[in-house]
Amino acid sequence: VPEDQADKLLLANWGLPKAVLEKYHSLGVVQMFQWQAECLMLGQVLEGRNLVYSAPTSAGKTLVAELLILKRVLETRRKALFILPFVSVAKEKKCYLQ
């Protein structure tokens, strides 16, 4: 992330609703890693363009997907499909996102 866009690391600067920010903050998620912000700022990803990214387990891939989905759903009022690899993860995310 360029120095003049370092504020993009903070979740609070992505236009998320207060309730969503409070939930992330209560879980200790206040800012992203640099690579996560870079993914979100690539091309027209936030306008619905495709993004393919790879990172090790527990690196933060899900946060990127969540933010993309949340922003698109809230801005377009359309539904999203979030595919997860395991039933246990799907149940966890269901409760988390509700």
Side-chain angles (χ1 to χ4, degrees), residues 23 27 84 88-98:
K23 181 65 175 178
L27 297 169
L84 297 163
S88 60
V89 176
K91 287 181 178 180
E92 176 186 314
K93 286 297 167 189
K94 176 188 169 213
C95 293
Y96 177 79
L97 291 170
Q98 284 178 331

Side-chain angles (χ1 to χ4, degrees), residues 39-51 68 72:
C39 282
L40 296 174
M41 292 188 298
L42 279 174
Q44 296 175 323
V45 170
L46 291 173
E47 285 77 42
R49 299 293 301 204
N50 294 328
L51 172 66
L68 286 171
R72 292 292 294 164

Side-chain angles (χ1 to χ4, degrees), residues 16-59:
L16 297 169
K18 184 178 178 182
V20 173
L21 282 175
E22 288 174 355
K23 181 65 175 178
Y24 278 120
H25 289 175
S26 73
L27 297 169
V29 182
V30 177
Q31 70 179 39
M32 294 180 275
F33 295 118
Q34 181 173 333
W35 74 266
Q36 292 170 314
E38 288 172 355
C39 282
L40 296 174
M41 292 188 298
L42 279 174
Q44 296 175 323
V45 170
L46 291 173
E47 285 77 42
R49 299 293 301 204
N50 294 328
L51 172 66
V52 176
Y53 58 105
S54 175
T57 301
S58 298

Side-chain angles (χ1 to χ4, degrees), residues 49-80:
R49 299 293 301 204
N50 294 328
L51 172 66
V52 176
Y53 58 105
S54 175
T57 301
S58 298
K61 295 180 298 288
T62 302
L63 180 61
V64 173
E66 287 176 10
L67 293 175
L68 286 171
I69 288 171
L70 285 168
K71 285 198 61 66
R72 292 292 294 164
V73 166
L74 293 170
E75 291 171 2
T76 65
R77 300 285 186 211
R78 295 178 69 188
K79 294 180 181 182

